[in-house]
Amino acid sequence: MSRLQVVSGKGGTGKTTVAAALALALAREGRRTLLVEVEGRQGIAQLFGAEALPYEERKIAVAPGGGGEVYALAIDAERALLDYLQMFYKLGSAGRALKKLGAIDFATTIAPGLRDVLLTGKACEAVRRKDKAGKFVYDHVIMDAPPTGRITRFLNVNDEVAGLARFGPIHNQAQAVMKVLKSPETAVHLVTLLEEMPVQETADGIEELRVAGLPIGRVIVNMVRPHHLDEDALRAASGERRADVAKALSRAGLGGARRGGLAERLVDPLVAQAAEHASRVELERGQRTVLEGLDTATYELPLLGAGMDLAGLYELATELRKQADDE
C-alpha cells in the first residue's frame, strides 16, 4: 500500500470527505496516518467537528479496529516557506523578519508555482520523516489535493523547478520531492460521480497523470445511489404497462383499478417517478462503461441520505476497507 495517498476530484464530488474516510480506513491495527489539507478551506476540521487546524500536526480521530490514530495538518504556504528557509539557509529570525516585511507573502503570490512546491514538499517531508529509532513517524500520509483540473501541474511543479535550478539546495529539494511523487510510495486517486462532466474530467485527469509519469491509484465513485427497481420494473416505467401497475396497486389495497379509481389515479405520478429513476440508471450505466474503459481499478461509496457527519465518515471508511480487503 502506497505511503502517500493523494486524493483529487472535480469540485462537488466530495474529495475532502473521501480523503478523510481514506485516512480512517488506513489508520487501523495501530497504524498512524496524517491527513494533509493544502487549499486552506479548513474542510477537514469541519468534517471532524474540530476547531480550525493550526500549522501543526494534531490528532483528530481514532480509527475503528485496533486503535490507529489520525492526525491532521493544514499546510500554510508562508509557514512552510519559513521552514524551508530555516532548513536550507538557517535564516531563523531573519526569515521571521522577512515575514513581517511581507516578503514571504509577496514571493508566494507572484510565484504560484513556489506555493505548490512548498505544499508538496511539506507533505513529502512527512512521508520521509523518521523517529529516533529509525521508524517512520506516519504509516500513511493522505493529501486532500487540488481539483482534477490542476492536479497534474500541482504535483509536477517540482520537476519544472528542478529543471530551472540545476544545482544547489532548491534543485536537490525538488528532486527529492519528485522522487517520492513518481515512486511506488505514491498513489493518486481521483474521486468522481456517475455523471458526465465529473467522469469526463476524471478521464482527462488520468490521461494527464499518465503522460506526466505520475502513479495512478483508484477511481473512487462517490455518492452512488441504490437502484430500487429490477429490470422488469424499469421496463414498466415507460408507461406501456399502466394497466398492470394499476392492478398491482389495487391488489396492495390501494383502491380499485378501474378508470378513475384511487389505484388508477396513482399510476401517472408513480410511472413518472419510475421513468426518472430509469433514466438515471441508464445514464449511470453509460458512465460506468466509460470508467471501465479507463483501465483503472474502481471503488464505490454509497450516498448517505442523512448527510455527512463523523458517523458517516466511519461508515465510508469501513466500506473502503472492505473493498480493499476484497481485492
Side-chain angles (χ1 to χ4, degrees), residues 72-109:
L73 169 66
I75 302 179
D76 176 83
E78 289 189 357
R79 295 286 299 276
L81 180 53
L82 286 175
D83 286 350
Y84 181 88
L85 293 174
Q86 173 61 22
M87 185 182 302
F88 291 105
Y89 297 101
K90 310 301 180 186
L91 288 184
S93 60
R96 290 190 291 274
L98 287 173
K99 177 175 174 61
K100 290 181 180 179
L101 292 171
I104 292 176
D105 184 57
F106 177 74
T108 55
T109 299

PDB file of all heavy atoms in Angstrom, residues 72-109:
ATOM      1  N   ALA A  72      -3.996  15.411  11.644  1.00  0.00           N
ATOM      2  CA  ALA A  72      -4.325  16.313  10.542  1.00  0.00           C
ATOM      3  C   ALA A  72      -3.424  17.533  10.575  1.00  0.00           C
ATOM      4  O   ALA A  72      -2.954  17.956  11.636  1.00  0.00           O
ATOM      5  CB  ALA A  72      -5.791  16.739  10.593  1.00  0.00           C
ATOM      6  N   LEU A  73      -3.190  18.091   9.382  1.00  0.00           N
ATOM      7  CA  LEU A  73      -2.353  19.273   9.240  1.00  0.00           C
ATOM      8  C   LEU A  73      -2.884  20.117   8.103  1.00  0.00           C
ATOM      9  O   LEU A  73      -3.103  19.612   7.000  1.00  0.00           O
ATOM     10  CB  LEU A  73      -0.903  18.867   8.936  1.00  0.00           C
ATOM     11  CG  LEU A  73       0.055  19.990   8.509  1.00  0.00           C
ATOM     12  CD1 LEU A  73       0.287  20.963   9.653  1.00  0.00           C
ATOM     13  CD2 LEU A  73       1.370  19.404   8.011  1.00  0.00           C
ATOM     14  N   ALA A  74      -3.118  21.401   8.374  1.00  0.00           N
ATOM     15  CA  ALA A  74      -3.458  22.359   7.317  1.00  0.00           C
ATOM     16  C   ALA A  74      -2.179  23.111   6.973  1.00  0.00           C
ATOM     17  O   ALA A  74      -1.680  23.906   7.781  1.00  0.00           O
ATOM     18  CB  ALA A  74      -4.550  23.318   7.792  1.00  0.00           C
ATOM     19  N   ILE A  75      -1.627  22.838   5.795  1.00  0.00           N
ATOM     20  CA  ILE A  75      -0.339  23.438   5.425  1.00  0.00           C
ATOM     21  C   ILE A  75      -0.545  24.883   5.001  1.00  0.00           C
ATOM     22  O   ILE A  75      -1.360  25.178   4.126  1.00  0.00           O
ATOM     23  CB  ILE A  75       0.343  22.647   4.293  1.00  0.00           C
ATOM     24  CG1 ILE A  75       0.556  21.194   4.709  1.00  0.00           C
ATOM     25  CG2 ILE A  75       1.676  23.281   3.940  1.00  0.00           C
ATOM     26  CD1 ILE A  75       1.196  20.340   3.638  1.00  0.00           C
ATOM     27  N   ASP A  76       0.213  25.759   5.615  1.00  0.00           N
ATOM     28  CA  ASP A  76       0.213  27.173   5.265  1.00  0.00           C
ATOM     29  C   ASP A  76       1.482  27.455   4.467  1.00  0.00           C
ATOM     30  O   ASP A  76       2.595  27.165   4.938  1.00  0.00           O
ATOM     31  CB  ASP A  76       0.177  28.023   6.532  1.00  0.00           C
ATOM     32  CG  ASP A  76       0.280  29.502   6.241  1.00  0.00           C
ATOM     33  OD1 ASP A  76      -0.756  30.113   5.930  1.00  0.00           O
ATOM     34  OD2 ASP A  76       1.398  30.043   6.287  1.00  0.00           O
ATOM     35  N   ALA A  77       1.334  28.004   3.260  1.00  0.00           N
ATOM     36  CA  ALA A  77       2.489  28.183   2.380  1.00  0.00           C
ATOM     37  C   ALA A  77       3.544  29.098   2.995  1.00  0.00           C
ATOM     38  O   ALA A  77       4.751  28.847   2.857  1.00  0.00           O
ATOM     39  CB  ALA A  77       2.036  28.731   1.032  1.00  0.00           C
ATOM     40  N   GLU A  78       3.119  30.145   3.668  1.00  0.00           N
ATOM     41  CA  GLU A  78       4.088  31.067   4.274  1.00  0.00           C
ATOM     42  C   GLU A  78       4.893  30.376   5.366  1.00  0.00           C
ATOM     43  O   GLU A  78       6.116  30.513   5.439  1.00  0.00           O
ATOM     44  CB  GLU A  78       3.372  32.294   4.831  1.00  0.00           C
ATOM     45  CG  GLU A  78       2.829  33.228   3.764  1.00  0.00           C
ATOM     46  CD  GLU A  78       2.329  34.536   4.365  1.00  0.00           C
ATOM     47  OE1 GLU A  78       2.368  34.657   5.617  1.00  0.00           O
ATOM     48  OE2 GLU A  78       1.928  35.415   3.603  1.00  0.00           O
ATOM     49  N   ARG A  79       4.195  29.630   6.237  1.00  0.00           N
ATOM     50  CA  ARG A  79       4.901  28.921   7.301  1.00  0.00           C
ATOM     51  C   ARG A  79       5.807  27.847   6.726  1.00  0.00           C
ATOM     52  O   ARG A  79       6.904  27.604   7.240  1.00  0.00           O
ATOM     53  CB  ARG A  79       3.884  28.311   8.273  1.00  0.00           C
ATOM     54  CG  ARG A  79       3.057  29.322   9.048  1.00  0.00           C
ATOM     55  CD  ARG A  79       3.879  29.996  10.134  1.00  0.00           C
ATOM     56  NE  ARG A  79       4.367  29.026  11.105  1.00  0.00           N
ATOM     57  CZ  ARG A  79       3.657  28.582  12.147  1.00  0.00           C
ATOM     58  NH1 ARG A  79       2.419  29.042  12.349  1.00  0.00           N
ATOM     59  NH2 ARG A  79       4.160  27.713  12.993  1.00  0.00           N
ATOM     60  N   ALA A  80       5.351  27.197   5.652  1.00  0.00           N
ATOM     61  CA  ALA A  80       6.192  26.189   5.006  1.00  0.00           C
ATOM     62  C   ALA A  80       7.447  26.821   4.426  1.00  0.00           C
ATOM     63  O   ALA A  80       8.534  26.227   4.455  1.00  0.00           O
ATOM     64  CB  ALA A  80       5.405  25.473   3.912  1.00  0.00           C
ATOM     65  N   LEU A  81       7.318  28.050   3.900  1.00  0.00           N
ATOM     66  CA  LEU A  81       8.491  28.743   3.361  1.00  0.00           C
ATOM     67  C   LEU A  81       9.472  29.091   4.478  1.00  0.00           C
ATOM     68  O   LEU A  81      10.695  28.974   4.302  1.00  0.00           O
ATOM     69  CB  LEU A  81       8.063  30.000   2.608  1.00  0.00           C
ATOM     70  CG  LEU A  81       9.193  30.832   1.977  1.00  0.00           C
ATOM     71  CD1 LEU A  81      10.080  29.969   1.088  1.00  0.00           C
ATOM     72  CD2 LEU A  81       8.622  31.997   1.184  1.00  0.00           C
ATOM     73  N   LEU A  82       8.951  29.491   5.630  1.00  0.00           N
ATOM     74  CA  LEU A  82       9.831  29.757   6.761  1.00  0.00           C
ATOM     75  C   LEU A  82      10.591  28.490   7.164  1.00  0.00           C
ATOM     76  O   LEU A  82      11.791  28.532   7.454  1.00  0.00           O
ATOM     77  CB  LEU A  82       9.021  30.283   7.949  1.00  0.00           C
ATOM     78  CG  LEU A  82       8.512  31.722   7.853  1.00  0.00           C
ATOM     79  CD1 LEU A  82       7.628  32.041   9.042  1.00  0.00           C
ATOM     80  CD2 LEU A  82       9.666  32.708   7.764  1.00  0.00           C
ATOM     81  N   ASP A  83       9.878  27.351   7.190  1.00  0.00           N
ATOM     82  CA  ASP A  83      10.543  26.078   7.481  1.00  0.00           C
ATOM     83  C   ASP A  83      11.643  25.804   6.470  1.00  0.00           C
ATOM     84  O   ASP A  83      12.743  25.357   6.817  1.00  0.00           O
ATOM     85  CB  ASP A  83       9.528  24.934   7.453  1.00  0.00           C
ATOM     86  CG  ASP A  83       8.617  24.931   8.665  1.00  0.00           C
ATOM     87  OD1 ASP A  83       8.881  25.691   9.603  1.00  0.00           O
ATOM     88  OD2 ASP A  83       7.625  24.170   8.642  1.00  0.00           O
ATOM     89  N   TYR A  84      11.322  26.069   5.203  1.00  0.00           N
ATOM     90  CA  TYR A  84      12.270  25.818   4.119  1.00  0.00           C
ATOM     91  C   TYR A  84      13.519  26.694   4.278  1.00  0.00           C
ATOM     92  O   TYR A  84      14.649  26.212   4.148  1.00  0.00           O
ATOM     93  CB  TYR A  84      11.582  26.102   2.785  1.00  0.00           C
ATOM     94  CG  TYR A  84      12.447  25.864   1.563  1.00  0.00           C
ATOM     95  CD1 TYR A  84      12.503  24.611   0.982  1.00  0.00           C
ATOM     96  CD2 TYR A  84      13.181  26.897   0.996  1.00  0.00           C
ATOM     97  CE1 TYR A  84      13.285  24.379  -0.136  1.00  0.00           C
ATOM     98  CE2 TYR A  84      13.967  26.676  -0.117  1.00  0.00           C
ATOM     99  CZ  TYR A  84      14.015  25.419  -0.679  1.00  0.00           C
ATOM    100  OH  TYR A  84      14.798  25.191  -1.780  1.00  0.00           O
ATOM    101  N   LEU A  85      13.312  27.975   4.570  1.00  0.00           N
ATOM    102  CA  LEU A  85      14.434  28.900   4.736  1.00  0.00           C
ATOM    103  C   LEU A  85      15.307  28.496   5.918  1.00  0.00           C
ATOM    104  O   LEU A  85      16.535  28.601   5.865  1.00  0.00           O
ATOM    105  CB  LEU A  85      13.910  30.326   4.925  1.00  0.00           C
ATOM    106  CG  LEU A  85      13.212  30.948   3.711  1.00  0.00           C
ATOM    107  CD1 LEU A  85      12.603  32.297   4.081  1.00  0.00           C
ATOM    108  CD2 LEU A  85      14.167  31.094   2.531  1.00  0.00           C
ATOM    109  N   GLN A  86      14.677  28.024   6.978  1.00  0.00           N
ATOM    110  CA  GLN A  86      15.432  27.583   8.135  1.00  0.00           C
ATOM    111  C   GLN A  86      16.190  26.295   7.836  1.00  0.00           C
ATOM    112  O   GLN A  86      17.358  26.131   8.220  1.00  0.00           O
ATOM    113  CB  GLN A  86      14.496  27.378   9.328  1.00  0.00           C
ATOM    114  CG  GLN A  86      15.155  26.751  10.558  1.00  0.00           C
ATOM    115  CD  GLN A  86      16.292  27.580  11.120  1.00  0.00           C
ATOM    116  OE1 GLN A  86      16.368  28.795  10.886  1.00  0.00           O
ATOM    117  NE2 GLN A  86      17.198  26.949  11.842  1.00  0.00           N
ATOM    118  N   MET A  87      15.527  25.366   7.128  1.00  0.00           N
ATOM    119  CA  MET A  87      16.125  24.065   6.852  1.00  0.00           C
ATOM    120  C   MET A  87      17.356  24.170   5.964  1.00  0.00           C
ATOM    121  O   MET A  87      18.398  23.553   6.215  1.00  0.00           O
ATOM    122  CB  MET A  87      15.089  23.139   6.195  1.00  0.00           C
ATOM    123  CG  MET A  87      15.570  21.711   5.979  1.00  0.00           C
ATOM    124  SD  MET A  87      14.313  20.700   5.163  1.00  0.00           S
ATOM    125  CE  MET A  87      12.943  20.858   6.304  1.00  0.00           C
ATOM    126  N   PHE A  88      17.263  24.997   4.912  1.00  0.00           N
ATOM    127  CA  PHE A  88      18.335  25.025   3.924  1.00  0.00           C
ATOM    128  C   PHE A  88      19.269  26.227   4.047  1.00  0.00           C
ATOM    129  O   PHE A  88      20.409  26.180   3.596  1.00  0.00           O
ATOM    130  CB  PHE A  88      17.745  24.989   2.515  1.00  0.00           C
ATOM    131  CG  PHE A  88      17.110  23.668   2.180  1.00  0.00           C
ATOM    132  CD1 PHE A  88      15.733  23.530   2.155  1.00  0.00           C
ATOM    133  CD2 PHE A  88      17.884  22.556   1.927  1.00  0.00           C
ATOM    134  CE1 PHE A  88      15.140  22.311   1.871  1.00  0.00           C
ATOM    135  CE2 PHE A  88      17.298  21.331   1.638  1.00  0.00           C
ATOM    136  CZ  PHE A  88      15.925  21.211   1.611  1.00  0.00           C
ATOM    137  N   TYR A  89      18.782  27.310   4.641  1.00  0.00           N
ATOM    138  CA  TYR A  89      19.597  28.525   4.694  1.00  0.00           C
ATOM    139  C   TYR A  89      19.830  29.027   6.113  1.00  0.00           C
ATOM    140  O   TYR A  89      20.526  30.033   6.306  1.00  0.00           O
ATOM    141  CB  TYR A  89      18.935  29.639   3.861  1.00  0.00           C
ATOM    142  CG  TYR A  89      18.852  29.273   2.402  1.00  0.00           C
ATOM    143  CD1 TYR A  89      17.656  28.804   1.856  1.00  0.00           C
ATOM    144  CD2 TYR A  89      19.965  29.367   1.566  1.00  0.00           C
ATOM    145  CE1 TYR A  89      17.572  28.455   0.524  1.00  0.00           C
ATOM    146  CE2 TYR A  89      19.885  29.017   0.225  1.00  0.00           C
ATOM    147  CZ  TYR A  89      18.686  28.563  -0.293  1.00  0.00           C
ATOM    148  OH  TYR A  89      18.599  28.221  -1.617  1.00  0.00           O
ATOM    149  N   LYS A  90      19.258  28.320   7.128  1.00  0.00           N
ATOM    150  CA  LYS A  90      19.472  28.658   8.527  1.00  0.00           C
ATOM    151  C   LYS A  90      19.173  30.132   8.809  1.00  0.00           C
ATOM    152  O   LYS A  90      19.888  30.797   9.567  1.00  0.00           O
ATOM    153  CB  LYS A  90      20.922  28.335   8.946  1.00  0.00           C
ATOM    154  CG  LYS A  90      21.397  26.941   8.584  1.00  0.00           C
ATOM    155  CD  LYS A  90      20.528  25.852   9.222  1.00  0.00           C
ATOM    156  CE  LYS A  90      21.044  24.455   8.840  1.00  0.00           C
ATOM    157  NZ  LYS A  90      20.136  23.382   9.327  1.00  0.00           N
ATOM    158  N   LEU A  91      18.096  30.648   8.215  1.00  0.00           N
ATOM    159  CA  LEU A  91      17.797  32.061   8.386  1.00  0.00           C
ATOM    160  C   LEU A  91      17.174  32.377   9.751  1.00  0.00           C
ATOM    161  O   LEU A  91      17.385  33.452  10.299  1.00  0.00           O
ATOM    162  CB  LEU A  91      16.862  32.545   7.273  1.00  0.00           C
ATOM    163  CG  LEU A  91      17.500  32.668   5.887  1.00  0.00           C
ATOM    164  CD1 LEU A  91      16.494  33.246   4.911  1.00  0.00           C
ATOM    165  CD2 LEU A  91      18.731  33.557   5.927  1.00  0.00           C
ATOM    166  N   GLY A  92      16.384  31.466  10.281  1.00  0.00           N
ATOM    167  CA  GLY A  92      15.829  31.654  11.602  1.00  0.00           C
ATOM    168  C   GLY A  92      15.105  32.974  11.769  1.00  0.00           C
ATOM    169  O   GLY A  92      14.098  33.254  11.119  1.00  0.00           O
ATOM    170  N   SER A  93      15.618  33.834  12.643  1.00  0.00           N
ATOM    171  CA  SER A  93      14.983  35.124  12.923  1.00  0.00           C
ATOM    172  C   SER A  93      14.925  36.009  11.690  1.00  0.00           C
ATOM    173  O   SER A  93      14.010  36.819  11.526  1.00  0.00           O
ATOM    174  CB  SER A  93      15.726  35.846  14.048  1.00  0.00           C
ATOM    175  OG  SER A  93      17.075  36.066  13.683  1.00  0.00           O
ATOM    176  N   ALA A  94      15.910  35.864  10.796  1.00  0.00           N
ATOM    177  CA  ALA A  94      15.888  36.653   9.556  1.00  0.00           C
ATOM    178  C   ALA A  94      14.687  36.268   8.714  1.00  0.00           C
ATOM    179  O   ALA A  94      14.049  37.119   8.076  1.00  0.00           O
ATOM    180  CB  ALA A  94      17.182  36.442   8.772  1.00  0.00           C
ATOM    181  N   GLY A  95      14.330  34.987   8.717  1.00  0.00           N
ATOM    182  CA  GLY A  95      13.152  34.543   7.986  1.00  0.00           C
ATOM    183  C   GLY A  95      11.889  35.131   8.573  1.00  0.00           C
ATOM    184  O   GLY A  95      10.991  35.552   7.846  1.00  0.00           O
ATOM    185  N   ARG A  96      11.830  35.196   9.900  1.00  0.00           N
ATOM    186  CA  ARG A  96      10.661  35.790  10.538  1.00  0.00           C
ATOM    187  C   ARG A  96      10.565  37.284  10.239  1.00  0.00           C
ATOM    188  O   ARG A  96       9.477  37.845  10.104  1.00  0.00           O
ATOM    189  CB  ARG A  96      10.724  35.539  12.051  1.00  0.00           C
ATOM    190  CG  ARG A  96      10.502  34.070  12.426  1.00  0.00           C
ATOM    191  CD  ARG A  96      10.335  33.896  13.919  1.00  0.00           C
ATOM    192  NE  ARG A  96      11.590  34.148  14.630  1.00  0.00           N
ATOM    193  CZ  ARG A  96      12.536  33.236  14.835  1.00  0.00           C
ATOM    194  NH1 ARG A  96      12.368  31.997  14.353  1.00  0.00           N
ATOM    195  NH2 ARG A  96      13.624  33.523  15.494  1.00  0.00           N
ATOM    196  N   ALA A  97      11.716  37.920  10.119  1.00  0.00           N
ATOM    197  CA  ALA A  97      11.721  39.335   9.760  1.00  0.00           C
ATOM    198  C   ALA A  97      11.190  39.535   8.348  1.00  0.00           C
ATOM    199  O   ALA A  97      10.455  40.495   8.067  1.00  0.00           O
ATOM    200  CB  ALA A  97      13.141  39.902   9.874  1.00  0.00           C
ATOM    201  N   LEU A  98      11.533  38.623   7.445  1.00  0.00           N
ATOM    202  CA  LEU A  98      11.015  38.702   6.077  1.00  0.00           C
ATOM    203  C   LEU A  98       9.495  38.596   6.070  1.00  0.00           C
ATOM    204  O   LEU A  98       8.817  39.279   5.294  1.00  0.00           O
ATOM    205  CB  LEU A  98      11.624  37.585   5.217  1.00  0.00           C
ATOM    206  CG  LEU A  98      13.087  37.740   4.802  1.00  0.00           C
ATOM    207  CD1 LEU A  98      13.561  36.480   4.105  1.00  0.00           C
ATOM    208  CD2 LEU A  98      13.253  38.948   3.879  1.00  0.00           C
ATOM    209  N   LYS A  99       8.961  37.749   6.953  1.00  0.00           N
ATOM    210  CA  LYS A  99       7.505  37.609   7.032  1.00  0.00           C
ATOM    211  C   LYS A  99       6.865  38.922   7.487  1.00  0.00           C
ATOM    212  O   LYS A  99       5.851  39.362   6.929  1.00  0.00           O
ATOM    213  CB  LYS A  99       7.132  36.469   7.988  1.00  0.00           C
ATOM    214  CG  LYS A  99       5.619  36.312   8.182  1.00  0.00           C
ATOM    215  CD  LYS A  99       5.308  35.105   9.028  1.00  0.00           C
ATOM    216  CE  LYS A  99       3.815  35.035   9.334  1.00  0.00           C
ATOM    217  NZ  LYS A  99       3.010  34.924   8.118  1.00  0.00           N
ATOM    218  N   LYS A 100       7.469  39.575   8.489  1.00  0.00           N
ATOM    219  CA  LYS A 100       6.931  40.844   8.975  1.00  0.00           C
ATOM    220  C   LYS A 100       6.943  41.905   7.879  1.00  0.00           C
ATOM    221  O   LYS A 100       6.059  42.759   7.810  1.00  0.00           O
ATOM    222  CB  LYS A 100       7.732  41.322  10.184  1.00  0.00           C
ATOM    223  CG  LYS A 100       7.518  40.478  11.432  1.00  0.00           C
ATOM    224  CD  LYS A 100       8.316  41.017  12.606  1.00  0.00           C
ATOM    225  CE  LYS A 100       8.093  40.168  13.857  1.00  0.00           C
ATOM    226  NZ  LYS A 100       8.882  40.669  15.014  1.00  0.00           N
ATOM    227  N   LEU A 101       7.945  41.854   7.023  1.00  0.00           N
ATOM    228  CA  LEU A 101       8.047  42.829   5.938  1.00  0.00           C
ATOM    229  C   LEU A 101       7.103  42.505   4.775  1.00  0.00           C
ATOM    230  O   LEU A 101       6.963  43.293   3.845  1.00  0.00           O
ATOM    231  CB  LEU A 101       9.487  42.885   5.428  1.00  0.00           C
ATOM    232  CG  LEU A 101      10.524  43.473   6.398  1.00  0.00           C
ATOM    233  CD1 LEU A 101      11.930  43.271   5.847  1.00  0.00           C
ATOM    234  CD2 LEU A 101      10.241  44.946   6.649  1.00  0.00           C
ATOM    235  N   GLY A 102       6.466  41.340   4.831  1.00  0.00           N
ATOM    236  CA  GLY A 102       5.560  40.953   3.759  1.00  0.00           C
ATOM    237  C   GLY A 102       6.246  40.301   2.582  1.00  0.00           C
ATOM    238  O   GLY A 102       5.618  40.031   1.562  1.00  0.00           O
ATOM    239  N   ALA A 103       7.549  40.034   2.720  1.00  0.00           N
ATOM    240  CA  ALA A 103       8.303  39.486   1.591  1.00  0.00           C
ATOM    241  C   ALA A 103       7.858  38.068   1.250  1.00  0.00           C
ATOM    242  O   ALA A 103       7.824  37.677   0.081  1.00  0.00           O
ATOM    243  CB  ALA A 103       9.804  39.502   1.906  1.00  0.00           C
ATOM    244  N   ILE A 104       7.490  37.292   2.264  1.00  0.00           N
ATOM    245  CA  ILE A 104       7.101  35.903   2.020  1.00  0.00           C
ATOM    246  C   ILE A 104       5.767  35.847   1.296  1.00  0.00           C
ATOM    247  O   ILE A 104       5.591  35.099   0.325  1.00  0.00           O
ATOM    248  CB  ILE A 104       7.055  35.126   3.346  1.00  0.00           C
ATOM    249  CG1 ILE A 104       8.480  34.991   3.902  1.00  0.00           C
ATOM    250  CG2 ILE A 104       6.417  33.762   3.161  1.00  0.00           C
ATOM    251  CD1 ILE A 104       8.561  34.324   5.252  1.00  0.00           C
ATOM    252  N   ASP A 105       4.813  36.654   1.757  1.00  0.00           N
ATOM    253  CA  ASP A 105       3.516  36.706   1.089  1.00  0.00           C
ATOM    254  C   ASP A 105       3.689  37.183  -0.353  1.00  0.00           C
ATOM    255  O   ASP A 105       3.056  36.666  -1.274  1.00  0.00           O
ATOM    256  CB  ASP A 105       2.570  37.641   1.836  1.00  0.00           C
ATOM    257  CG  ASP A 105       1.176  37.658   1.224  1.00  0.00           C
ATOM    258  OD1 ASP A 105       0.569  36.578   1.133  1.00  0.00           O
ATOM    259  OD2 ASP A 105       0.713  38.738   0.828  1.00  0.00           O
ATOM    260  N   PHE A 106       4.567  38.155  -0.541  1.00  0.00           N
ATOM    261  CA  PHE A 106       4.843  38.658  -1.886  1.00  0.00           C
ATOM    262  C   PHE A 106       5.406  37.545  -2.769  1.00  0.00           C
ATOM    263  O   PHE A 106       4.983  37.358  -3.915  1.00  0.00           O
ATOM    264  CB  PHE A 106       5.834  39.824  -1.806  1.00  0.00           C
ATOM    265  CG  PHE A 106       6.249  40.370  -3.138  1.00  0.00           C
ATOM    266  CD1 PHE A 106       5.379  41.148  -3.893  1.00  0.00           C
ATOM    267  CD2 PHE A 106       7.519  40.107  -3.649  1.00  0.00           C
ATOM    268  CE1 PHE A 106       5.757  41.659  -5.124  1.00  0.00           C
ATOM    269  CE2 PHE A 106       7.910  40.614  -4.872  1.00  0.00           C
ATOM    270  CZ  PHE A 106       7.032  41.389  -5.610  1.00  0.00           C
ATOM    271  N   ALA A 107       6.351  36.794  -2.222  1.00  0.00           N
ATOM    272  CA  ALA A 107       7.001  35.737  -3.003  1.00  0.00           C
ATOM    273  C   ALA A 107       6.020  34.651  -3.405  1.00  0.00           C
ATOM    274  O   ALA A 107       6.007  34.197  -4.558  1.00  0.00           O
ATOM    275  CB  ALA A 107       8.153  35.138  -2.205  1.00  0.00           C
ATOM    276  N   THR A 108       5.174  34.220  -2.469  1.00  0.00           N
ATOM    277  CA  THR A 108       4.254  33.126  -2.780  1.00  0.00           C
ATOM    278  C   THR A 108       3.084  33.593  -3.656  1.00  0.00           C
ATOM    279  O   THR A 108       2.425  32.780  -4.280  1.00  0.00           O
ATOM    280  CB  THR A 108       3.696  32.494  -1.486  1.00  0.00           C
ATOM    281  OG1 THR A 108       3.107  33.513  -0.685  1.00  0.00           O
ATOM    282  CG2 THR A 108       4.812  31.815  -0.701  1.00  0.00           C
ATOM    283  N   THR A 109       2.836  34.908  -3.686  1.00  0.00           N
ATOM    284  CA  THR A 109       1.762  35.430  -4.524  1.00  0.00           C
ATOM    285  C   THR A 109       2.203  35.607  -5.963  1.00  0.00           C
ATOM    286  O   THR A 109       1.487  35.225  -6.899  1.00  0.00           O
ATOM    287  CB  THR A 109       1.252  36.784  -3.976  1.00  0.00           C
ATOM    288  OG1 THR A 109       0.749  36.585  -2.656  1.00  0.00           O
ATOM    289  CG2 THR A 109       0.135  37.331  -4.848  1.00  0.00           C
TER     290      THR A 109
END
